[in-house]
Amino acid sequence: MRGAHPTPPAGVTYEKDGPLLRIVGETRGFVTGPRDLGVRGRELDELIIRQREFFAARGERVEWKIRGHDEPADLTDRLRSAGFVPEDQETVLVGRTGELAVGKPVLPECVTVRRVSDEADLRRIGAMESAVWGIDLTWLATELLGRITATPDEIAVCVAEADGEVISAAWLLFYGDSEFAGLRGGSTVADWRGKGVYRALVATRAALAAARGVAYLHVDASDDSAPILRRLGFRAITTTTPYVWSPDQPGN
């Protein structure tokens, strides 16, 4: 599950720098690599600084995604020294689609779940996410639309609605012939939490993955989502932490 979506959306490019994959053209830059980068000491510092300076020249933030079992062991210390700041740690969970796609989700009578792709629906998702998190996430609509336009068979976006209002949204990413598909999103309006909406969106996406013959679902789960997913049968395999450098951080 490391690396990137097989087909980049319009305006997004993939670049290699030694062992790293650099993704350019999204809301913020993204860097990822293999479990062991294969470089140490000064060579590793130079690799880190190249990523920072590349995105500094573009005036953009960049995220370097680290897993809990990555090597070398001092990678995170060296990222911090270069000005990368850790965000919240998440738990990497894996579940079997066959176990998760069993039975029809039980929802409150007024709630419906459907798959969407129209720009208007995607903008409603961006508005809902912005309201839930209290920050501007309207750019999500553009990002999702770009993925759907570029590779409609590699993404499935679902919403839960109550009385015409989007109360939760989540999407599923397919990775070519991989045995894994990735769960993303899942934010739910506060008044609708604890009512089975999030679980229904998981089951809906599991059914879509099972229909494609995908064996496993993968998710980087927040502390809020991880307990729900564990109860559904997901198993923790490691952790992941985004290390972010931003040109507007103090000292930059």
Side-chain angles (χ1 to χ4, degrees):
M1 292 299 297
R2 293 177 186 257
H5 201 262
T7 307
V12 177
T13 58
Y14 298 160
E15 303 174 359
K16 291 288 289 183
D17 185 347
L20 295 178
L21 173 68
R22 188 165 59 212
I23 301 178
V24 183
E26 295 185 325
T27 306
R28 68 182 183 186
F30 187 83
V31 172
T32 186
R35 177 180 177 179
D36 188 339
L37 290 177
V39 294
R40 302 290 189 273
R42 181 177 177 180
E43 188 177 358
L44 176 56
D45 288 336
E46 291 173 349
L47 182 66
I48 293 170
I49 291 169
R50 282 204 304 274
Q51 311 319 305
R52 185 190 68 191
E53 297 307 309
F54 176 90
F55 287 100
R58 294 174 58 88
E60 294 177 356
R61 304 174 74 207
V62 55
E63 171 188 338
W64 189 316
K65 182 177 281 291
I66 302 294
R67 279 77 173 185
H69 55 289
D70 282 355
E71 297 287 345
D74 63 350
L75 173 57
T76 55
D77 291 336
R78 292 177 182 275
L79 283 168
R80 288 175 187 267
S81 295
F84 285 76
V85 178
E87 295 187 342
D88 291 342
Q89 178 178 283
E90 295 181 316
T91 304
V92 181
L93 299 167
V94 171
R96 297 180 182 273
T97 56
E99 298 173 1
L100 298 164
V102 176
K104 187 175 181 179
V106 178
L107 285 165
E109 187 174 338
C110 63
V111 177
T112 58
V113 172
R114 64 187 178 96
R115 184 173 176 177
V116 299
S117 59
D118 290 345
E119 183 175 356
D121 284 321
L122 301 178
R123 295 203 178 281
R124 293 169 69 213
I125 291 172
M128 182 274 296
E129 295 273 358
S130 298
V132 167
W133 295 105
I135 58 175
D136 183 9
L137 295 173
T138 55
W139 53 265
L140 265 174
T142 301
E143 183 173 299
L144 291 172
L145 182 61
R147 287 185 178 274
I148 292 170
T149 301
T151 54
D153 293 334
E154 295 179 1
I155 181 171
V157 181
C158 300
V159 296
E161 297 169 300
D163 299 323
E165 176 191 358
V166 174
I167 60 173
S168 187
W171 42 101
L172 176 69
L173 300 180
F174 295 100
Y175 295 84
D177 296 329
S178 172
E179 289 187 291
F180 290 82
L183 297 184
R184 300 291 185 272
S187 299
T188 305
V189 173
D191 289 346
W192 287 97
R193 293 171 191 164
K195 301 181 188 297
V197 175
Y198 179 80
R199 292 192 298 273
L201 286 173
V202 172
T204 298
R205 288 175 290 167
L208 291 170
R212 289 271 292 265
V214 175
Y216 303 99
L217 295 178
H218 159 279
V219 59
D220 295 346
S222 68
D223 289 344
D224 291 332
S225 300
I228 302 171
L229 293 166
R230 285 176 183 271
R231 289 195 294 271
L232 293 176
F234 280 80
R235 297 166 179 82
I237 59 171
T238 187
T239 60
T240 182
T241 305
Y243 277 73
V244 177
W245 180 87
S246 176
D248 56 10
Q249 285 172 196
N252 292 339

